[in-house]
Amino acid sequence: MIIDDSLFKSSGDRHHFFPYNERSKKILVFGGSSLVPLSLKRNVSYMLIGNLIYALSQWGIIMVLAKLGSPKMVGGFTLGLAVTAPIILIFDLQLRSVLATDTKEEFSFRHYLALKGVNSFLAILVLGIVIIIGGYKGKAAFVIFLVGVAKLIESVIELHYGLFQKQERMDIIAKSLIIRGCTSLFIIALLITITNSLLIGVAGFCLSWLCLLFILEVPKAKRMAASQSSPLKLVSVKKLFLTSFPLGLVMMMMSLYTNIPRYAIEHVIGTEAVGYYSALFYIVTAGNLVINAIGQTISPRLANYFTKEEYIPFSKLLTKFVCFGFIYGSAGVLLTLLIGKQVLGIIYTQEYVQFQKLFVLLMIAGTLMYAGSFFGFALTAMRKFSIQPILSILWVISTILLSFLLIPSYGLTGAAIVTIITTAIQLFTLALAVMWYLHQAKKQHQLTAYASN
């Protein structure tokens, strides 16, 4: 995406950024241009549109595989996502969130980019080792590897999004999401139609994202970070790694606890069953992209509130969107009960209609997941990173135990029940952690105020 010059205002100082008030909004200067943050309402609107279209496009990929391919093809693609996700996420370190909430400018963008480069190389090596140890061979191994490479490219793109998120310009991210989503859907649909090969389709999917990274994101990042002329320091990169590593561990654990039921399904029932389960759950995941859009938008605002010790606005904003998560998910459950069969028949095939009850159970899990996600964003905005790996380990252990107990006996229904219970545990523990840290912060603020008097 080419940056519209109307987004920027010229500045005489090319080497510093500074606040400037215009309609009570802060302007930040980058490389001779200033970027005006948008209102929270406009940012949420842009991200809802961008993430909705992106979610539909990624959902469209599953639909293409289901309609033009087979449940086994869907299973192969989603198994690739399940195998690669924990590896990609632990090396991702949630650097986008760390960058977006870095209100004190502790690290420059080149430090984030350097760490991302090293981690991407390590992720490729680990992915190859996992494929070999896992016994994946032939086309299946290549599909898994290419899916992993595509997700690595996406993580680099996400880091670039952190620059715009930090400046509360979610419109730039939304436009990029729309372009990337539509392009990847078109490429994979075209290649599957012509070749009927999942491997070729995934290869084209991967290549399209690589091209978009260099055509759209890299030029924008260079322009925005032009003023950051400080030298690259390995000490700072190491400090950034130590700061963000807990979040990488959290994301890996969260991916595991999401995908462990899929591993169990493949082991007990087979790859085709993974395809059915994943296709249904992807609808829930698509809904969560809307939640993520809102969470990414409000994260900088929550971070500012917490840093400035404005705890009442922090609590009000968080409560508002947690309630939204419950309402949003409940509406999905109601629609699934009313028209779930028709939806499955239309977007997939008639083979999927028999799983309508499973669809309802997964939407119930989605409701808990949507509400819990906002507590997760709040915890990151508070920069409370160390507690998150502990919570995620608890979620993984719970998922392993429940999957071992329920999936062999109850099959796909058991997997859905596992998902409901584990998302409830996630919601409860995240809420408890946020309330505890907020209570401690308020207490410390009161003691400081008392001491100063």
Side-chain angles (χ1 to χ4, degrees):
M1 182 184 69
I2 299 174
I3 298 182
D4 186 350
D5 285 335
S6 65
L7 299 177
F8 294 90
K9 296 190 176 183
S10 61
S11 168
D13 188 344
R14 300 181 61 85
H15 301 290
H16 300 83
F17 65 86
F18 56 89
Y20 173 80
N21 289 326
E22 177 184 275
R23 297 190 302 274
S24 300
K25 293 181 180 179
K26 181 174 66 175
I27 297 178
L28 299 176
V29 176
F30 290 90
S33 301
S34 54
L35 195 60
V36 185
L38 301 180
S39 67
L40 183 62
K41 182 178 180 180
R42 289 186 67 188
N43 275 324
V44 169
S45 298
Y46 275 116
M47 283 304 287
L48 282 175
I49 295 171
N51 274 270
L52 178 60
I53 295 176
Y54 181 77
L56 289 174
S57 68
Q58 300 309 291
W59 186 7
I61 291 174
I62 303 297
M63 292 171 60
V64 166
L65 296 177
K67 288 183 174 293
L68 302 180
S70 65
K72 189 173 182 179
M73 190 177 286
V74 176
F77 181 73
T78 54
L79 182 63
L81 293 173
V83 171
T84 60
I87 301 168
I88 304 306
L89 290 173
I90 191 172
F91 286 103
D92 178 66
L93 303 179
Q94 280 202 65
L95 288 178
R96 172 181 173 176
S97 296
V98 177
L99 171 59
T101 58
D102 187 7
T103 56
K104 297 180 180 179
E105 303 289 340
E106 190 173 2
F107 306 101
S108 70
F109 182 66
R110 67 172 58 185
H111 290 124
Y112 288 94
L113 201 59
L115 182 56
K116 173 64 70 176
V118 173
N119 284 356
S120 296
F121 176 74
L122 294 175
I124 288 288
L125 292 180
V126 173
L127 177 58
I129 293 171
V130 168
I131 290 173
I132 293 171
I133 294 176
Y136 300 104
K137 299 178 181 179
K139 290 184 179 180
F142 279 110
V143 167
I144 293 172
F145 181 78
L146 288 174
V147 168
V149 171
K151 300 306 288 184
L152 270 177
I153 294 169
E154 183 179 38
S155 74
V156 178
I157 293 173
E158 286 284 322
L159 178 61
H160 288 72
Y161 288 172
L163 279 175
F164 315 127
Q165 182 180 342
K166 185 177 182 180
Q167 309 312 324
E168 300 188 41
R169 288 305 301 259
M170 310 305 279
D171 56 322
I172 301 175
I173 300 175
K175 293 172 185 176
S176 179
L177 283 170
I178 292 170
I179 294 171
R180 184 157 57 93
C182 293
T183 300
S184 59
L185 174 58
F186 173 77
I187 291 294
I188 203 166
L190 178 65
L191 292 176
I192 291 293
T193 301
I194 295 173
T195 67
N196 196 35
S197 170
L198 178 61
L199 177 60
I200 294 176
V202 173
F205 171 82
C206 180
L207 184 60
S208 69
W209 280 8
L210 181 63
C211 292
L212 290 175
L213 168 62
F214 285 102
I215 293 172
L216 302 183
E217 312 309 333
V218 172
K220 289 184 295 186
K222 286 183 178 180
R223 182 171 182 176
M224 290 192 67
S227 62
Q228 299 180 348
S229 57
S230 58
L232 181 65
K233 298 180 180 179
L234 293 180
V235 174
S236 296
V237 175
K238 179 181 177 181
K239 184 179 179 182
L240 176 58
F241 170 77
L242 295 175
T243 300
S244 57
F245 179 74
L247 291 181
L249 187 59
V250 169
M251 293 307 294
M252 183 194 73
M253 291 296 180
M254 288 185 67
S255 177
L256 282 174
Y257 111 88
T258 301
N259 287 306
I260 283 170
R262 290 183 175 89
Y263 304 149
I265 291 169
E266 186 205 12
H267 179 72
V268 175
I269 309 175
T271 303
E272 187 170 320
V274 175
Y276 287 120
Y277 179 87
S278 298
L280 298 180
F281 193 73
Y282 199 88
I283 301 174
V284 179
T285 304
N288 198 47
L289 287 174
V290 175
I291 298 297
N292 285 338
I294 300 173
Q296 290 161 1
T297 303
I298 67 174
S299 288
R301 190 71 57 90
L302 288 172
N304 282 324
Y305 283 149
F306 193 78
T307 301
K308 296 176 181 178
E309 299 182 339
E310 298 177 1
Y311 301 125
I312 292 177
F314 179 95
S315 300
K316 287 183 177 179
L317 185 62
L318 176 59
T319 301
K320 175 181 177 180
F321 284 104
V322 168
C323 292
F324 170 81
F326 276 115
I327 295 171
Y328 175 72
S330 298
V333 173
L334 180 60
L335 288 174
T336 304
L337 287 168
L338 295 176
I339 59 173
K341 290 184 177 180
Q342 293 89 329
V343 169
L344 292 176
I346 293 172
I347 63 176
Y348 296 132
T349 64
Q350 290 301 312
E351 296 177 78
Y352 290 81
V353 172
Q354 60 182 309
F355 297 104
Q356 194 257 352
K357 291 182 179 179
L358 177 65
F359 190 18
V360 174
L361 292 176
L362 291 176
M363 280 305 306
I364 293 173
T367 301
L368 301 173
M369 178 170 54
Y370 300 154
S373 293
F374 288 113
F375 285 114
F377 281 111
L379 206 56
T380 299
M382 298 163 83
R383 300 189 76 81
K384 303 300 181 182
F385 301 147
S386 59
I387 187 63
Q388 296 190 44
I390 299 173
L391 297 180
S392 61
I393 290 171
L394 174 63
W395 306 335
V396 169
I397 292 173
S398 301
T399 306
I400 292 173
L401 293 175
L402 290 168
S403 296
F404 179 76
L405 291 172
L406 297 177
I407 294 178
S409 300
Y410 300 99
L412 293 180
T413 300
I417 295 172
V418 169
T419 306
I420 291 173
I421 297 174
T422 54
T423 49
I425 294 173
Q426 181 190 27
L427 169 62
F428 176 76
T429 53
L430 284 172
L432 194 63
V434 169
M435 289 187 289
W436 167 257
Y437 281 118
L438 195 58
H439 172 73
Q440 291 297 106
K442 289 179 179 178
K443 185 178 179 180
Q444 184 62 39
H445 177 70
Q446 291 172 353
L447 290 174
T448 303
Y450 179 78
S452 63
N453 293 329

